[in-house]
Amino acid sequence: MDLGIHYANFTHPEWETRLAERLTQTATVADEGGLALFTVMDHYFQMIPFGGPFEPMLEGYTTLGYLAAATKQINLGLLVTGVTYRHPGLLTKVVTTLDVLSGGRAWLGIGAAWYDREHEGLGVPFPPTAERFERLEETLQIARQMWSDDDGPYDGKHFHLAETISLPQPVRGRVPILIGGAGERKTLRLVAQYADACNLFDGDGADGVRHKLEVLRRHCDDVGRDYDEIKKTVLIHGDPTADVDAFVASMEQYAALGISLVTMMPPTDDPAAWATGMAEQVRPRLEQIS
């Protein structure tokens, strides 16, 4: 099982002068410590659980571009890109650029978006839920077309592109697509049809994840997709360094379900020191889980 860090909170002591320093240190520790993935959020306002809009928040793809130069091995992505924030043709170009400049380390994490306050606050249109999912599916189709030999037009319900040209192409030919969320009717169907990976939440523990994966398997059967092709990841809350043995035991349950990567958020005011503990104490133990 692989380990990732989701850097969601920038409000640490002296963040006004040390925000970039702490972010860079944490990503560097994760990179040098052999972690598999480093992600940040795609929000313009901080979420309410982390203090809300008057706490610091960085734009996601600018941040990842910066981190691409500060790291060498670790994969980089947003958990997850909000489909409403960028036109899909431009989004695909942005992600492709990140992949090329990082040497093939970009992931396209994407979802239907939800934070209405930041949309309204900054004047970004926020369509109803059903339309956002329509736009999400068209965005996935556009990205896949731009990462193919087809550079012709795309004519959808919401998006119309005259030429889907994207040069250079991603280092691996295409960027892996991760869809975040656990909605059983729409989100997991899109995972089955378009994604290389899914990201689930641990709110209901291993039993809840088991249920979501059973739903995903049924969607795969419906669309003729090989369920085992899809990488299963989960975002876990807590601090594994407080009791590594207990954490590893719990992760064995997730690994038995097919989860191959677990991502966690730094829970302390010193994320770099926490990341060091994760790299030295937790990652080697997780790698032994098969």
Side-chain angles (χ1 to χ4, degrees):
M1 179 179 282
D2 291 325
L3 181 63
I5 288 180
H6 181 47
Y7 200 99
N9 186 2
F10 297 96
T11 307
H12 301 116
E14 303 176 283
W15 68 262
E16 296 89 345
T17 56
R18 299 187 60 196
L19 187 154
E21 172 192 338
R22 279 201 176 91
L23 171 66
T24 307
Q25 288 175 344
T26 306
T28 301
V29 167
D31 184 45
E32 296 176 351
L35 273 66
L37 179 65
F38 193 93
T39 60
V40 295
M41 295 196 294
D42 193 24
H43 286 302
Y44 300 141
F45 291 174
Q46 179 58 276
M47 300 188 303
I48 298 301
F50 293 117
F54 292 98
E55 296 299 327
M57 174 55 59
L58 299 179
E59 193 282 320
Y61 280 108
T62 308
T63 302
L64 294 180
Y66 169 82
L67 292 176
T71 57
K72 297 178 180 179
Q73 304 177 82
I74 198 165
N75 290 309
L76 301 168
L78 297 188
L79 199 61
V80 289
T81 306
V83 73
T84 52
Y85 298 134
R86 302 165 190 85
H87 189 283
L90 301 182
L91 170 62
T92 303
K93 190 65 177 178
V94 168
V95 176
T96 302
T97 300
L98 174 65
D99 191 68
V100 170
L101 295 183
S102 67
R105 294 187 284 131
W107 284 28
L108 172 55
I110 194 164
W114 60 271
Y115 198 176
D116 54 347
R117 181 170 176 176
E118 66 185 353
H119 288 77
E120 295 168 1
L122 297 183
V124 178
F126 188 64
T129 302
E131 181 178 330
R132 297 202 307 277
F133 274 96
E134 291 173 352
R135 289 172 176 266
L136 175 57
E137 183 162 16
E138 290 191 14
T139 297
L140 294 166
Q141 293 170 353
I142 290 166
R144 286 161 60 105
Q145 181 168 327
M146 290 179 67
W147 293 330
S148 75
D149 294 332
D150 181 0
D151 59 7
Y154 176 90
D155 190 27
K157 179 179 178 180
H158 301 286
F159 301 111
H160 308 276
L161 286 71
E163 298 179 282
T164 51
I165 298 170
S166 182
L167 291 173
Q169 285 282 283
V171 173
R172 296 155 290 181
R174 56 187 300 274
V175 175
I177 295 171
L178 176 149
I179 296 177
E184 297 182 12
R185 188 167 62 89
K186 294 183 178 181
T187 301
L188 293 179
R189 179 188 65 79
L190 292 175
V191 171
Q193 193 163 354
Y194 297 103
D196 301 287
C198 65
N199 183 254
L200 303 172
F201 309 108
D202 70 333
D204 295 321
D207 288 340
V209 170
R210 178 184 294 106
H211 170 71
K212 298 298 182 181
L213 292 177
E214 289 170 352
V215 173
L216 175 59
R217 185 183 291 274
R218 292 197 294 270
H219 282 303
C220 287
D221 291 341
D222 290 342
V223 301
R225 176 79 183 279
D226 183 353
Y227 170 82
D228 293 325
E229 287 182 354
I230 300 170
K231 185 179 184 68
K232 289 83 176 177
T233 77
V234 63
L235 178 64
I236 300 286
H237 295 80
D239 184 3
T241 63
D243 190 338
V244 176
D245 290 338
F247 177 74
V248 171
S250 68
M251 289 303 99
E252 289 175 347
Q253 301 178 52
Y254 288 92
L257 299 175
I259 299 296
S260 60
L261 182 146
V262 54
T263 297
M264 306 201 70
M265 295 180 285
T268 71
D269 282 339
D270 192 345
W274 178 82
T276 300
M278 294 288 282
E280 295 178 351
Q281 303 170 38
V282 179
R283 180 194 57 78
R285 297 282 302 277
L286 285 184
E287 288 185 347
Q288 296 174 10
I289 300 175
S290 58

